[in-house]
Amino acid sequence: MPKVRAARQTRQHTQRCQQGIMFEKDKGQHILKNPLIINSMIEKSALRPTDVVLEVGPGTGNMTVKLIDQCKKVVACEIDTRLVAELQKRVQGTPAARKLEVIVGDVLKTDLPFFDVCVANLPYKISSPFVFKLLLHRPFFRCAVLMFQQEFAQRLVAKPGEKLYCRLSVNTQLLARVDHLMKVGKNNFRPPPKVESSVVRIEPRNPPPPINFQEWDGMLRILFTRKNKTLSAIFRTKGVLELLEKNYRIHQSLTDTMVPEDFDIKSHVLKILGESEKTELRPRCLDVDSFLSLLEIFNRNSIHFA
């Protein structure tokens, strides 16, 4: 077996060297090689000839060259200068070169340009921060068709009560409509990743809900740290009450409102929960609308999470 494994590794090394690229797994470099998957992702993005498309992690350009055929311009963001050179070489001297702009650098540290649609086979380790960078980007884009690790994709679309339902699910579904499009096996990549993948379509809600996102996310962080407990149990926790009392006093001072000497944060919070009629509910079973109404009644009674 060791000889077989060594022979296989040597063969893979030779193939990569012939292609001029040694892919680095620690950078999430798993190049999508199946043209049917690439075509399907582009089809699901419903491109228009006038569209500017953002592609993150274009790799050697297998998807890029097909995107260019169907849109006005592709802006490709790539951190690896070797792959940038390979991509530019691929279109050099062709009409496609005029329709390609390459941004070299870390997409999480880069100001995103204007774009209509985002299509990408993302490095999986940046999935969560990139999704929120995308959803908070302005002006609004029309949609994004993105490849993720399968479990991450399942978290994005999870519904209340399901095992994978979490803060990520609620935050994403607050800001966008999210649809699971297809599963993609590991053998569709070079080199194959250790996990299965999925393609998801994200369509931002425009306009977004009129809430303070820091308040919203502050509340969700508290609730999903203890998602299987009842709201009543969560808001009786000493650490949570101390945080809420600190915020309460800060906000009251900002409005020059006196806090009574006998003020008791626990009684105040439990009274609000009683009015919400959600005392015995658990975060893992609440939908976006329920969280919105909970935040509204807390804020209306001067309880803040940020």
Side-chain angles (χ1 to χ4, degrees), residues 41-42 45 47-48 50-59 63-64 67-68 71-78 87 99-108 110-122 126 129-131 133-135 137-147:
M41 288 181 68
I42 294 174
S45 66
L47 293 181
R48 303 169 185 170
T50 56
D51 281 340
V52 175
V53 178
L54 174 67
E55 184 185 10
V56 179
M63 184 180 292
T64 315
L67 288 170
I68 286 173
C71 68
K72 177 182 177 182
K73 178 182 179 182
V74 172
V75 180
C77 190
E78 175 58 62
L87 177 59
K99 297 171 69 175
L100 175 65
E101 175 186 342
V102 180
I103 297 175
V104 184
D106 184 342
V107 70
L108 298 180
T110 302
D111 291 333
L112 297 181
F114 168 84
F115 63 95
D116 299 289
V117 175
C118 179
V119 184
N121 170 29
L122 286 175
I126 70 166
F130 180 72
V131 165
K133 185 179 181 76
L134 206 58
L135 289 175
H137 176 69
R138 300 294 181 268
F140 282 97
F141 58 95
R142 192 166 69 250
C143 75
V145 175
L146 307 172
M147 182 83 73

Short mmCIF file of all heavy atoms in Angstrom, two decimals, residues 41-42 45 47-48 50-59 63-64 67-68 71-78 87 99-108 110-122 126 129-131 133-135 137-147:
data_model
loop_
_atom_site.label_atom_id
_atom_site.label_comp_id
_atom_site.label_asym_id
_atom_site.label_seq_id
_atom_site.Cartn_x
_atom_site.Cartn_y
_atom_site.Cartn_z
N MET A 41 -24.01 26.43 -12.33
CA MET A 41 -23.91 27.59 -11.44
C MET A 41 -24.16 28.89 -12.21
O MET A 41 -24.87 29.79 -11.74
CB MET A 41 -22.52 27.64 -10.78
CG MET A 41 -22.31 26.58 -9.72
SD MET A 41 -20.67 26.68 -8.93
CE MET A 41 -20.81 28.22 -8.01
N ILE A 42 -23.59 28.98 -13.40
CA ILE A 42 -23.79 30.19 -14.21
C ILE A 42 -25.24 30.31 -14.66
O ILE A 42 -25.83 31.40 -14.62
CB ILE A 42 -22.84 30.17 -15.43
CG1 ILE A 42 -21.38 30.26 -14.95
CG2 ILE A 42 -23.15 31.31 -16.39
CD1 ILE A 42 -20.35 30.10 -16.05
N SER A 45 -27.44 31.65 -11.95
CA SER A 45 -27.24 33.07 -11.63
C SER A 45 -28.01 34.00 -12.57
O SER A 45 -28.08 35.20 -12.32
CB SER A 45 -25.74 33.41 -11.67
OG SER A 45 -25.24 33.28 -12.98
N LEU A 47 -27.60 35.39 -15.59
CA LEU A 47 -26.84 36.57 -16.00
C LEU A 47 -27.49 37.31 -17.16
O LEU A 47 -28.13 36.71 -18.02
CB LEU A 47 -25.42 36.18 -16.39
CG LEU A 47 -24.51 35.66 -15.28
CD1 LEU A 47 -23.14 35.32 -15.84
CD2 LEU A 47 -24.40 36.67 -14.14
N ARG A 48 -27.28 38.62 -17.17
CA ARG A 48 -27.72 39.48 -18.28
C ARG A 48 -26.49 40.03 -18.99
O ARG A 48 -25.44 40.19 -18.36
CB ARG A 48 -28.57 40.63 -17.74
CG ARG A 48 -29.79 40.16 -16.95
CD ARG A 48 -30.43 41.33 -16.20
NE ARG A 48 -31.52 40.88 -15.33
CZ ARG A 48 -32.12 41.65 -14.43
NH1 ARG A 48 -31.73 42.92 -14.28
NH2 ARG A 48 -33.11 41.18 -13.69
N THR A 50 -25.67 42.89 -19.65
CA THR A 50 -25.22 44.17 -19.07
C THR A 50 -24.63 44.02 -17.67
O THR A 50 -24.24 45.00 -17.05
CB THR A 50 -26.42 45.14 -19.00
OG1 THR A 50 -27.49 44.52 -18.25
CG2 THR A 50 -26.91 45.51 -20.38
N ASP A 51 -24.56 42.80 -17.15
CA ASP A 51 -24.14 42.57 -15.76
C ASP A 51 -22.62 42.70 -15.56
O ASP A 51 -21.83 42.28 -16.40
CB ASP A 51 -24.55 41.18 -15.29
CG ASP A 51 -26.02 41.11 -14.89
OD1 ASP A 51 -26.60 42.17 -14.63
OD2 ASP A 51 -26.57 39.99 -14.86
N VAL A 52 -22.27 43.25 -14.39
CA VAL A 52 -20.91 43.16 -13.87
C VAL A 52 -20.92 42.03 -12.84
O VAL A 52 -21.75 42.03 -11.92
CB VAL A 52 -20.47 44.48 -13.20
CG1 VAL A 52 -19.09 44.31 -12.55
CG2 VAL A 52 -20.44 45.61 -14.21
N VAL A 53 -20.03 41.06 -12.99
CA VAL A 53 -20.01 39.87 -12.13
C VAL A 53 -18.77 39.89 -11.25
O VAL A 53 -17.65 40.11 -11.74
CB VAL A 53 -20.04 38.57 -12.97
CG1 VAL A 53 -19.96 37.35 -12.06
CG2 VAL A 53 -21.29 38.52 -13.82
N LEU A 54 -18.96 39.65 -9.97
CA LEU A 54 -17.85 39.49 -9.03
C LEU A 54 -17.59 38.00 -8.86
O LEU A 54 -18.49 37.24 -8.50
CB LEU A 54 -18.19 40.11 -7.67
CG LEU A 54 -17.17 39.90 -6.55
CD1 LEU A 54 -15.87 40.64 -6.84
CD2 LEU A 54 -17.74 40.34 -5.20
N GLU A 55 -16.35 37.59 -9.11
CA GLU A 55 -15.95 36.20 -8.86
C GLU A 55 -14.83 36.21 -7.82
O GLU A 55 -13.85 36.94 -7.95
CB GLU A 55 -15.46 35.51 -10.13
CG GLU A 55 -15.15 34.03 -9.88
CD GLU A 55 -14.56 33.31 -11.08
OE1 GLU A 55 -14.19 33.97 -12.07
OE2 GLU A 55 -14.44 32.07 -11.01
N VAL A 56 -15.00 35.41 -6.78
CA VAL A 56 -14.00 35.32 -5.70
C VAL A 56 -13.30 33.97 -5.80
O VAL A 56 -13.96 32.93 -5.85
CB VAL A 56 -14.65 35.49 -4.32
CG1 VAL A 56 -13.61 35.38 -3.22
CG2 VAL A 56 -15.39 36.82 -4.23
N GLY A 57 -11.98 33.99 -5.83
CA GLY A 57 -11.22 32.75 -5.95
C GLY A 57 -11.38 32.13 -7.33
O GLY A 57 -11.80 30.98 -7.44
N PRO A 58 -11.02 32.85 -8.42
CA PRO A 58 -11.22 32.32 -9.77
C PRO A 58 -10.29 31.17 -10.13
O PRO A 58 -10.54 30.45 -11.10
CB PRO A 58 -10.91 33.54 -10.66
CG PRO A 58 -9.99 34.38 -9.84
CD PRO A 58 -10.46 34.21 -8.43
N GLY A 59 -9.21 30.99 -9.33
CA GLY A 59 -8.30 29.89 -9.62
C GLY A 59 -7.65 30.06 -10.98
O GLY A 59 -7.14 31.14 -11.31
N MET A 63 -14.17 28.89 -14.54
CA MET A 63 -15.48 29.54 -14.53
C MET A 63 -15.41 30.93 -15.15
O MET A 63 -16.33 31.37 -15.83
CB MET A 63 -16.03 29.63 -13.10
CG MET A 63 -17.43 30.20 -13.01
SD MET A 63 -18.03 30.28 -11.32
CE MET A 63 -18.20 28.54 -10.92
N THR A 64 -14.29 31.61 -14.93
CA THR A 64 -14.14 33.00 -15.37
C THR A 64 -14.39 33.16 -16.86
O THR A 64 -15.13 34.06 -17.30
CB THR A 64 -12.72 33.51 -15.04
OG1 THR A 64 -12.37 33.12 -13.73
CG2 THR A 64 -12.66 35.02 -15.17
N LEU A 67 -18.03 32.92 -17.64
CA LEU A 67 -18.77 34.10 -17.18
C LEU A 67 -18.59 35.25 -18.16
O LEU A 67 -19.55 35.96 -18.49
CB LEU A 67 -18.27 34.51 -15.79
CG LEU A 67 -18.64 33.63 -14.61
CD1 LEU A 67 -17.86 34.05 -13.36
CD2 LEU A 67 -20.15 33.70 -14.32
N ILE A 68 -17.36 35.45 -18.61
CA ILE A 68 -17.06 36.56 -19.53
C ILE A 68 -17.91 36.49 -20.78
O ILE A 68 -18.35 37.52 -21.32
CB ILE A 68 -15.55 36.54 -19.89
CG1 ILE A 68 -14.73 37.04 -18.69
CG2 ILE A 68 -15.26 37.39 -21.11
CD1 ILE A 68 -13.23 36.92 -18.86
N CYS A 71 -21.58 38.11 -19.86
CA CYS A 71 -21.81 39.37 -19.15
C CYS A 71 -20.96 40.50 -19.73
O CYS A 71 -20.14 40.29 -20.62
CB CYS A 71 -21.55 39.19 -17.66
SG CYS A 71 -19.81 38.92 -17.25
N LYS A 72 -21.15 41.68 -19.17
CA LYS A 72 -20.42 42.86 -19.63
C LYS A 72 -18.98 42.86 -19.13
O LYS A 72 -18.04 43.23 -19.85
CB LYS A 72 -21.14 44.11 -19.12
CG LYS A 72 -20.47 45.43 -19.46
CD LYS A 72 -21.26 46.58 -18.86
CE LYS A 72 -20.58 47.92 -19.11
NZ LYS A 72 -21.35 49.04 -18.49
N LYS A 73 -18.80 42.42 -17.86
CA LYS A 73 -17.48 42.49 -17.24
C LYS A 73 -17.40 41.53 -16.06
O LYS A 73 -18.39 41.34 -15.35
CB LYS A 73 -17.21 43.93 -16.75
CG LYS A 73 -15.89 44.15 -16.04
CD LYS A 73 -15.79 45.60 -15.56
CE LYS A 73 -14.51 45.89 -14.82
NZ LYS A 73 -14.47 47.29 -14.32
N VAL A 74 -16.22 40.93 -15.83
CA VAL A 74 -15.97 40.11 -14.65
C VAL A 74 -14.88 40.77 -13.82
O VAL A 74 -13.81 41.11 -14.35
CB VAL A 74 -15.54 38.67 -15.03
CG1 VAL A 74 -15.10 37.91 -13.78
CG2 VAL A 74 -16.67 37.94 -15.73
N VAL A 75 -15.17 40.98 -12.53
CA VAL A 75 -14.16 41.44 -11.59
C VAL A 75 -13.78 40.23 -10.75
O VAL A 75 -14.60 39.72 -9.97
CB VAL A 75 -14.68 42.58 -10.69
CG1 VAL A 75 -13.59 43.04 -9.73
CG2 VAL A 75 -15.19 43.75 -11.53
N ALA A 76 -12.55 39.75 -10.91
CA ALA A 76 -12.10 38.54 -10.21
C ALA A 76 -11.16 38.93 -9.08
O ALA A 76 -10.18 39.65 -9.29
CB ALA A 76 -11.40 37.61 -11.19
N CYS A 77 -11.45 38.45 -7.88
CA CYS A 77 -10.63 38.74 -6.71
C CYS A 77 -9.85 37.49 -6.33
O CYS A 77 -10.45 36.45 -6.01
CB CYS A 77 -11.52 39.20 -5.56
SG CYS A 77 -10.59 39.86 -4.16
N GLU A 78 -8.52 37.57 -6.38
CA GLU A 78 -7.67 36.41 -6.13
C GLU A 78 -6.47 36.82 -5.27
O GLU A 78 -5.82 37.82 -5.53
CB GLU A 78 -7.18 35.82 -7.47
CG GLU A 78 -6.20 34.68 -7.35
CD GLU A 78 -6.73 33.51 -6.56
OE1 GLU A 78 -7.74 32.91 -6.97
OE2 GLU A 78 -6.14 33.20 -5.50
N LEU A 87 -4.43 33.11 -14.79
CA LEU A 87 -5.71 33.61 -15.30
C LEU A 87 -5.49 34.64 -16.40
O LEU A 87 -6.14 34.60 -17.45
CB LEU A 87 -6.50 34.22 -14.15
CG LEU A 87 -7.85 34.88 -14.48
CD1 LEU A 87 -8.79 33.88 -15.13
CD2 LEU A 87 -8.47 35.45 -13.20
N LYS A 99 -12.62 42.42 -20.94
CA LYS A 99 -13.80 42.30 -20.06
C LYS A 99 -13.44 41.75 -18.68
O LYS A 99 -14.32 41.49 -17.87
CB LYS A 99 -14.85 41.39 -20.72
CG LYS A 99 -15.40 41.93 -22.03
CD LYS A 99 -16.25 40.91 -22.74
CE LYS A 99 -17.55 40.62 -22.02
NZ LYS A 99 -18.43 39.70 -22.80
N LEU A 100 -12.13 41.59 -18.43
CA LEU A 100 -11.68 41.03 -17.15
C LEU A 100 -10.88 42.07 -16.37
O LEU A 100 -9.93 42.65 -16.86
CB LEU A 100 -10.82 39.79 -17.38
CG LEU A 100 -10.18 39.18 -16.12
CD1 LEU A 100 -11.24 38.63 -15.18
CD2 LEU A 100 -9.18 38.07 -16.51
N GLU A 101 -11.30 42.27 -15.10
CA GLU A 101 -10.52 43.07 -14.16
C GLU A 101 -10.14 42.17 -12.99
O GLU A 101 -11.00 41.47 -12.44
CB GLU A 101 -11.34 44.26 -13.65
CG GLU A 101 -10.64 45.08 -12.58
CD GLU A 101 -11.53 46.17 -11.98
OE1 GLU A 101 -12.56 46.51 -12.59
OE2 GLU A 101 -11.21 46.65 -10.88
N VAL A 102 -8.86 42.17 -12.61
CA VAL A 102 -8.39 41.31 -11.53
C VAL A 102 -7.99 42.17 -10.34
O VAL A 102 -7.21 43.12 -10.48
CB VAL A 102 -7.21 40.43 -11.97
CG1 VAL A 102 -6.75 39.55 -10.80
CG2 VAL A 102 -7.59 39.56 -13.16
N ILE A 103 -8.56 41.86 -9.18
CA ILE A 103 -8.15 42.50 -7.93
C ILE A 103 -7.29 41.50 -7.17
O ILE A 103 -7.76 40.40 -6.85
CB ILE A 103 -9.37 42.90 -7.07
CG1 ILE A 103 -10.24 43.92 -7.81
CG2 ILE A 103 -8.93 43.44 -5.72
CD1 ILE A 103 -11.53 44.27 -7.09
N VAL A 104 -6.04 41.87 -6.91
CA VAL A 104 -5.12 40.96 -6.22
C VAL A 104 -5.14 41.29 -4.73
O VAL A 104 -4.82 42.41 -4.33
CB VAL A 104 -3.69 41.11 -6.77
CG1 VAL A 104 -2.77 40.09 -6.10
CG2 VAL A 104 -3.68 40.93 -8.28
N GLY A 105 -5.54 40.32 -3.91
CA GLY A 105 -5.56 40.54 -2.47
C GLY A 105 -6.61 39.71 -1.77
O GLY A 105 -7.35 38.95 -2.39
N ASP A 106 -6.68 39.88 -0.47
CA ASP A 106 -7.63 39.18 0.39
C ASP A 106 -8.99 39.85 0.28
O ASP A 106 -9.14 41.03 0.61
CB ASP A 106 -7.13 39.23 1.84
CG ASP A 106 -7.99 38.45 2.81
OD1 ASP A 106 -9.15 38.13 2.46
OD2 ASP A 106 -7.52 38.16 3.92
N VAL A 107 -9.99 39.13 -0.19
CA VAL A 107 -11.31 39.73 -0.42
C VAL A 107 -11.92 40.26 0.87
O VAL A 107 -12.70 41.22 0.85
CB VAL A 107 -12.26 38.72 -1.09
CG1 VAL A 107 -12.66 37.60 -0.13
CG2 VAL A 107 -13.50 39.41 -1.64
N LEU A 108 -11.55 39.68 2.02
CA LEU A 108 -12.10 40.14 3.30
C LEU A 108 -11.53 41.49 3.71
O LEU A 108 -12.12 42.21 4.52
CB LEU A 108 -11.85 39.11 4.40
CG LEU A 108 -12.50 37.74 4.20
CD1 LEU A 108 -12.17 36.83 5.39
CD2 LEU A 108 -14.02 37.85 4.03
N THR A 110 -10.62 43.77 1.33
CA THR A 110 -10.75 44.60 0.13
C THR A 110 -12.13 45.23 0.08
O THR A 110 -13.13 44.58 0.40
CB THR A 110 -10.54 43.74 -1.13
OG1 THR A 110 -9.24 43.13 -1.08
CG2 THR A 110 -10.64 44.57 -2.40
N ASP A 111 -12.20 46.49 -0.31
CA ASP A 111 -13.50 47.12 -0.55
C ASP A 111 -14.08 46.53 -1.82
O ASP A 111 -13.46 46.62 -2.90
CB ASP A 111 -13.35 48.64 -0.71
CG ASP A 111 -12.96 49.31 0.59
OD1 ASP A 111 -13.30 48.77 1.67
OD2 ASP A 111 -12.33 50.39 0.54
N LEU A 112 -15.25 45.92 -1.71
CA LEU A 112 -15.85 45.30 -2.89
C LEU A 112 -16.28 46.37 -3.89
O LEU A 112 -16.81 47.41 -3.52
CB LEU A 112 -17.07 44.46 -2.48
CG LEU A 112 -16.81 43.27 -1.56
CD1 LEU A 112 -18.11 42.53 -1.26
CD2 LEU A 112 -15.79 42.32 -2.17
N PRO A 113 -16.06 46.11 -5.18
CA PRO A 113 -16.48 47.07 -6.20
C PRO A 113 -17.99 46.94 -6.45
O PRO A 113 -18.66 46.07 -5.88
CB PRO A 113 -15.70 46.59 -7.43
CG PRO A 113 -15.62 45.10 -7.25
CD PRO A 113 -15.46 44.89 -5.75
N PHE A 114 -18.52 47.79 -7.31
CA PHE A 114 -19.91 47.62 -7.74
C PHE A 114 -20.02 46.32 -8.53
O PHE A 114 -19.16 46.00 -9.34
CB PHE A 114 -20.35 48.80 -8.62
CG PHE A 114 -21.66 48.53 -9.32
CD1 PHE A 114 -22.86 48.76 -8.67
CD2 PHE A 114 -21.68 47.99 -10.60
CE1 PHE A 114 -24.07 48.49 -9.30
CE2 PHE A 114 -22.89 47.72 -11.24
CZ PHE A 114 -24.09 47.97 -10.58
N PHE A 115 -21.10 45.57 -8.29
CA PHE A 115 -21.37 44.38 -9.10
C PHE A 115 -22.86 44.07 -9.04
O PHE A 115 -23.57 44.48 -8.12
CB PHE A 115 -20.55 43.18 -8.62
CG PHE A 115 -20.86 42.74 -7.21
CD1 PHE A 115 -21.76 41.71 -6.96
CD2 PHE A 115 -20.25 43.35 -6.12
CE1 PHE A 115 -22.06 41.31 -5.66
CE2 PHE A 115 -20.53 42.96 -4.82
CZ PHE A 115 -21.43 41.94 -4.59
N ASP A 116 -23.34 43.35 -10.05
CA ASP A 116 -24.75 42.96 -10.11
C ASP A 116 -24.97 41.56 -9.54
O ASP A 116 -25.99 41.29 -8.89
CB ASP A 116 -25.25 42.99 -11.56
CG ASP A 116 -25.15 44.37 -12.18
OD1 ASP A 116 -25.92 45.26 -11.78
OD2 ASP A 116 -24.26 44.57 -13.05
N VAL A 117 -24.03 40.67 -9.83
CA VAL A 117 -24.15 39.26 -9.44
C VAL A 117 -22.78 38.78 -8.96
O VAL A 117 -21.75 39.19 -9.49
CB VAL A 117 -24.62 38.40 -10.64
CG1 VAL A 117 -24.62 36.91 -10.28
CG2 VAL A 117 -26.01 38.82 -11.11
N CYS A 118 -22.80 37.91 -7.95
CA CYS A 118 -21.56 37.28 -7.48
C CYS A 118 -21.66 35.78 -7.74
O CYS A 118 -22.66 35.15 -7.37
CB CYS A 118 -21.34 37.55 -5.99
SG CYS A 118 -19.85 36.77 -5.32
N VAL A 119 -20.66 35.22 -8.40
CA VAL A 119 -20.60 33.77 -8.64
C VAL A 119 -19.23 33.31 -8.19
O VAL A 119 -18.22 33.87 -8.63
CB VAL A 119 -20.81 33.43 -10.13
CG1 VAL A 119 -20.85 31.91 -10.32
CG2 VAL A 119 -22.10 34.06 -10.66
N ALA A 120 -19.17 32.32 -7.30
CA ALA A 120 -17.86 31.96 -6.75
C ALA A 120 -17.82 30.56 -6.18
O ALA A 120 -18.78 30.08 -5.59
CB ALA A 120 -17.47 32.96 -5.66
N ASN A 121 -16.64 29.93 -6.37
CA ASN A 121 -16.27 28.72 -5.65
C ASN A 121 -15.33 29.19 -4.55
O ASN A 121 -14.13 29.32 -4.75
CB ASN A 121 -15.58 27.74 -6.61
CG ASN A 121 -14.95 26.57 -5.90
OD1 ASN A 121 -15.40 26.15 -4.83
ND2 ASN A 121 -13.87 26.06 -6.47
N LEU A 122 -15.92 29.49 -3.38
CA LEU A 122 -15.17 30.16 -2.30
C LEU A 122 -14.17 29.26 -1.59
O LEU A 122 -14.44 28.06 -1.43
CB LEU A 122 -16.14 30.67 -1.23
CG LEU A 122 -16.99 31.89 -1.54
CD1 LEU A 122 -17.95 32.11 -0.38
CD2 LEU A 122 -16.14 33.12 -1.74
N ILE A 126 -13.30 31.08 4.53
CA ILE A 126 -13.78 32.47 4.61
C ILE A 126 -15.30 32.55 4.41
O ILE A 126 -15.84 33.64 4.28
CB ILE A 126 -13.07 33.39 3.59
CG1 ILE A 126 -13.50 33.06 2.15
CG2 ILE A 126 -11.56 33.32 3.76
CD1 ILE A 126 -13.10 34.12 1.14
N PRO A 129 -17.47 34.96 7.19
CA PRO A 129 -17.24 36.40 7.08
C PRO A 129 -17.57 36.96 5.70
O PRO A 129 -18.02 38.10 5.58
CB PRO A 129 -15.75 36.56 7.42
CG PRO A 129 -15.16 35.21 7.27
CD PRO A 129 -16.25 34.24 7.57
N PHE A 130 -17.35 36.15 4.65
CA PHE A 130 -17.63 36.67 3.31
C PHE A 130 -19.13 36.83 3.09
O PHE A 130 -19.57 37.81 2.48
CB PHE A 130 -17.05 35.77 2.23
CG PHE A 130 -17.33 36.30 0.84
CD1 PHE A 130 -16.67 37.43 0.38
CD2 PHE A 130 -18.28 35.70 0.03
CE1 PHE A 130 -16.95 37.95 -0.88
CE2 PHE A 130 -18.57 36.21 -1.22
CZ PHE A 130 -17.90 37.33 -1.68
N VAL A 131 -19.93 35.90 3.58
CA VAL A 131 -21.38 36.01 3.42
C VAL A 131 -21.89 37.31 4.03
O VAL A 131 -22.69 38.03 3.43
CB VAL A 131 -22.11 34.80 4.06
CG1 VAL A 131 -23.60 35.09 4.24
CG2 VAL A 131 -21.93 33.56 3.19
N LYS A 133 -20.08 40.05 4.75
CA LYS A 133 -19.52 41.17 3.99
C LYS A 133 -20.38 41.43 2.76
O LYS A 133 -20.69 42.57 2.41
CB LYS A 133 -18.08 40.85 3.57
CG LYS A 133 -17.35 42.01 2.86
CD LYS A 133 -15.93 41.61 2.50
CE LYS A 133 -15.17 42.73 1.82
NZ LYS A 133 -14.72 43.77 2.74
N LEU A 134 -20.81 40.35 2.14
CA LEU A 134 -21.65 40.43 0.94
C LEU A 134 -23.02 41.03 1.26
O LEU A 134 -23.49 41.96 0.58
CB LEU A 134 -21.82 39.01 0.38
CG LEU A 134 -22.12 38.83 -1.11
CD1 LEU A 134 -21.02 39.47 -1.95
CD2 LEU A 134 -22.24 37.35 -1.42
N LEU A 135 -23.65 40.54 2.33
CA LEU A 135 -25.00 40.98 2.67
C LEU A 135 -25.06 42.42 3.18
O LEU A 135 -26.10 43.07 3.08
CB LEU A 135 -25.62 40.03 3.69
CG LEU A 135 -25.97 38.65 3.15
CD1 LEU A 135 -26.45 37.74 4.27
CD2 LEU A 135 -27.02 38.73 2.05
N HIS A 137 -23.02 44.72 1.98
CA HIS A 137 -22.47 45.54 0.90
C HIS A 137 -23.54 46.43 0.28
O HIS A 137 -24.68 46.01 0.09
CB HIS A 137 -21.88 44.63 -0.18
CG HIS A 137 -21.36 45.37 -1.38
ND1 HIS A 137 -20.25 46.17 -1.33
CD2 HIS A 137 -21.81 45.43 -2.65
CE1 HIS A 137 -20.04 46.70 -2.53
NE2 HIS A 137 -20.97 46.27 -3.34
N ARG A 138 -23.16 47.65 -0.03
CA ARG A 138 -24.04 48.58 -0.73
C ARG A 138 -23.27 49.21 -1.87
O ARG A 138 -22.09 49.48 -1.74
CB ARG A 138 -24.56 49.67 0.23
CG ARG A 138 -25.37 49.15 1.41
CD ARG A 138 -26.69 48.50 0.96
NE ARG A 138 -27.46 48.03 2.11
CZ ARG A 138 -27.39 46.81 2.62
NH1 ARG A 138 -26.56 45.92 2.09
NH2 ARG A 138 -28.13 46.46 3.66
N PRO A 139 -23.91 49.45 -3.03
CA PRO A 139 -25.33 49.24 -3.30
C PRO A 139 -25.68 47.75 -3.40
O PRO A 139 -24.79 46.92 -3.55
CB PRO A 139 -25.52 49.94 -4.65
CG PRO A 139 -24.17 49.89 -5.30
CD PRO A 139 -23.19 50.03 -4.19
N PHE A 140 -26.97 47.45 -3.34
CA PHE A 140 -27.42 46.07 -3.37
C PHE A 140 -27.04 45.39 -4.68
O PHE A 140 -27.05 46.01 -5.75
CB PHE A 140 -28.95 46.01 -3.22
CG PHE A 140 -29.41 46.20 -1.81
CD1 PHE A 140 -29.84 47.45 -1.37
CD2 PHE A 140 -29.44 45.14 -0.92
CE1 PHE A 140 -30.27 47.63 -0.08
CE2 PHE A 140 -29.87 45.32 0.39
CZ PHE A 140 -30.28 46.57 0.81
N PHE A 141 -26.70 44.11 -4.59
CA PHE A 141 -26.52 43.28 -5.77
C PHE A 141 -27.79 42.46 -5.97
O PHE A 141 -28.64 42.36 -5.07
CB PHE A 141 -25.29 42.38 -5.62
CG PHE A 141 -25.35 41.47 -4.42
CD1 PHE A 141 -25.80 40.16 -4.52
CD2 PHE A 141 -24.96 41.93 -3.16
CE1 PHE A 141 -25.86 39.33 -3.41
CE2 PHE A 141 -25.01 41.10 -2.04
CZ PHE A 141 -25.46 39.81 -2.18
N ARG A 142 -27.93 41.84 -7.14
CA ARG A 142 -29.17 41.11 -7.43
C ARG A 142 -29.19 39.72 -6.79
O ARG A 142 -30.17 39.31 -6.19
CB ARG A 142 -29.34 41.00 -8.95
CG ARG A 142 -30.74 40.53 -9.35
CD ARG A 142 -31.03 40.73 -10.83
NE ARG A 142 -30.26 39.88 -11.71
CZ ARG A 142 -29.28 40.30 -12.50
NH1 ARG A 142 -28.94 41.58 -12.52
NH2 ARG A 142 -28.63 39.46 -13.27
N CYS A 143 -28.10 38.98 -6.94
CA CYS A 143 -28.04 37.66 -6.31
C CYS A 143 -26.60 37.17 -6.28
O CYS A 143 -25.71 37.72 -6.95
CB CYS A 143 -28.93 36.64 -7.05
SG CYS A 143 -28.23 36.06 -8.62
N ALA A 144 -26.36 36.12 -5.49
CA ALA A 144 -25.06 35.46 -5.44
C ALA A 144 -25.28 33.96 -5.52
O ALA A 144 -26.18 33.42 -4.86
CB ALA A 144 -24.32 35.83 -4.15
N VAL A 145 -24.48 33.29 -6.35
CA VAL A 145 -24.51 31.82 -6.44
C VAL A 145 -23.14 31.34 -5.99
O VAL A 145 -22.13 31.59 -6.65
CB VAL A 145 -24.83 31.36 -7.87
CG1 VAL A 145 -24.73 29.83 -7.97
CG2 VAL A 145 -26.22 31.83 -8.29
N LEU A 146 -23.11 30.67 -4.82
CA LEU A 146 -21.85 30.39 -4.14
C LEU A 146 -21.70 28.91 -3.78
O LEU A 146 -22.67 28.27 -3.37
CB LEU A 146 -21.75 31.23 -2.86
CG LEU A 146 -21.95 32.74 -3.02
CD1 LEU A 146 -22.03 33.40 -1.65
CD2 LEU A 146 -20.83 33.35 -3.84
N MET A 147 -20.48 28.41 -3.91
CA MET A 147 -20.15 27.05 -3.49
C MET A 147 -19.63 27.09 -2.06
O MET A 147 -18.73 27.86 -1.73
CB MET A 147 -19.07 26.48 -4.41
CG MET A 147 -18.67 25.04 -4.10
SD MET A 147 -19.79 23.85 -4.86
CE MET A 147 -19.28 24.01 -6.58
#
